[in-house]
Amino acid sequence: MIALVLVGASGRMGRAIEDAARASGDFTIKSRFGRDDPIPVAADAASWAGPGEVVVEFSSPAGAVAAARACAAFGAGLVSGTTGLSVEDEEELERAATRVPVLRAANFSLGVLALRRALGAALDVLPSGWDVEIVERHHRGKLDSPSGTALQLARDVGERRGIPEPALRHGRVGRAGPRPESEIGMHALRGGNWVGDHTVLMAGPGEWLELRHVAQDRGAFAHGVLSATRFVVTAAPGLYNLEDVV
Ligand code: NAD
């Protein structure tokens, strides 16, 4: 049995992960933290995880940073899924990863991992002049835009084309002018209870191609999170992603 500490436990993802963990039978929930439960800083905190245990964090940038610091202090592994982290926040997680295993992913769905690989295969074939636009849809409660997954997809396109930080065009308004070849259009739609929907459109002369992934419920992420947790519990200190699990 793997003992889990859930940070963001009463949120949408926290509840989906707890449901999946209970159904799988090889996890116990040691404790739960939310916005109003301070994450421990003292080494005698019985409610926090230690070596051989894993903290699963889907909360907020502040929650991710506090969880990373506490994992590094107490020797627990960390699986982190919060999106919208600043560069400084990401550096905090990288610092923790020098002491404990930390697995970060902007999207824990295996379908999205397959989408990223399919995108890479398509870009290997298509000339660099093909225009790329990314459209993402999420529920009305999502705080960060565009989604971490949409930004990851844009970075994937940039890496494939030898542009580490591709220029993003967030929507278009007014006389936006002709489209520069190198920009990536980014369009974030918000409404209702869309769980997560990402489309990459590639348009060339006389033809276009569309790759799309739709998460229908949060179980799509929760199963990837549990696989990541099984990986982290025995991993050496370091920064990992979902590719390492698959
Ligand atoms: P939510 O608002 O439903 O839940 C967030 C929970 O975190 C709340 O219960 C809140 O009380 C708690 N929280 C906030 N700040 C905290 C802190 N400092 N310490 C402890 N707990 C804190 O949000 P959600 O839909 O569950 O999403 C949470 C995060 O996960 C978002 O950043 C979202 O974009 C991301 N997400 C990632 C994936 C993925 O696969 N990586 C999938 C879905 C959502």
Side-chain angles (χ1 to χ4, degrees):
M1 295 292 264
I2 301 172
L4 298 183
V5 167
L6 298 179
V7 175
S10 56
R12 285 171 283 246
M13 277 304 297
R15 282 178 278 133
I17 293 163
E18 180 158 354
D19 288 349
R22 289 192 184 289
S24 87
D26 51 345
F27 295 92
T28 56
I29 310 296
K30 182 174 178 182
S31 54
R32 299 171 185 77
F33 288 84
R35 197 191 311 272
D36 302 323
D37 314 302
I39 289 175
V41 288
D44 59 354
S47 57
W48 196 252
E53 299 177 329
V54 181
V55 175
V56 176
E57 171 289 309
F58 284 73
S59 54
S60 65
V65 167
R69 287 185 182 147
C71 283
F74 304 153
L78 175 64
V79 173
S80 168
T82 296
T83 55
L85 269 62
S86 66
V87 172
E88 292 75 24
D89 295 336
E90 295 281 4
E91 284 170 358
E92 283 282 349
L93 271 72
E94 286 164 24
R95 260 193 291 283
T98 62
R99 306 185 60 177
V100 293
V102 174
L103 194 146
R104 277 273 305 143
N107 196 307
F108 278 86
S109 120
L110 292 179
V112 164
L113 191 56
L115 168 69
R116 292 178 61 196
R117 290 192 182 178
L119 175 61
L123 292 171
D124 282 347
V125 172
L126 302 175
S128 61
W130 277 50
D131 300 323
V132 177
E133 300 273 315
I134 298 172
V135 182
E136 57 101 330
R137 300 164 214 231
H138 282 87
H139 55 90
R140 60 192 322 209
K142 183 165 176 60
L143 297 179
D144 54 314
S145 298
S147 70
T149 304
L151 292 171
Q152 179 66 63
L153 290 165
R155 278 195 300 276
D156 290 346
V157 174
E159 272 169 31
R160 219 69 182 192
R161 291 183 164 176
I163 310 166
E165 294 293 334
L168 304 181
R169 172 65 72 103
H170 297 279
R172 289 187 182 82
V173 66
R175 286 177 62 81
R179 185 189 194 289
E181 191 175 278
S182 59
E183 80 180 17
I184 297 176
M186 188 66 88
H187 310 277
L189 281 56
R190 294 289 174 268
N193 56 3
W194 279 321
V195 171
D197 183 329
H198 293 88
T199 302
V200 184
L201 290 123
M202 289 155 274
E207 56 181 330
W208 61 274
L209 170 67
E210 176 176 299
L211 297 175
R212 182 177 183 191
H213 174 268
V214 179
Q216 291 175 291
D217 71 60
R218 290 178 179 79
F221 310 119
H223 292 293
V225 170
L226 295 187
S227 299
T229 305
R230 292 186 191 96
F231 171 88
V232 159
V233 78
T234 58
L239 189 60
Y240 300 97
N241 60 40
L242 206 55
E243 291 277 359
D244 296 305
V245 178
V246 176

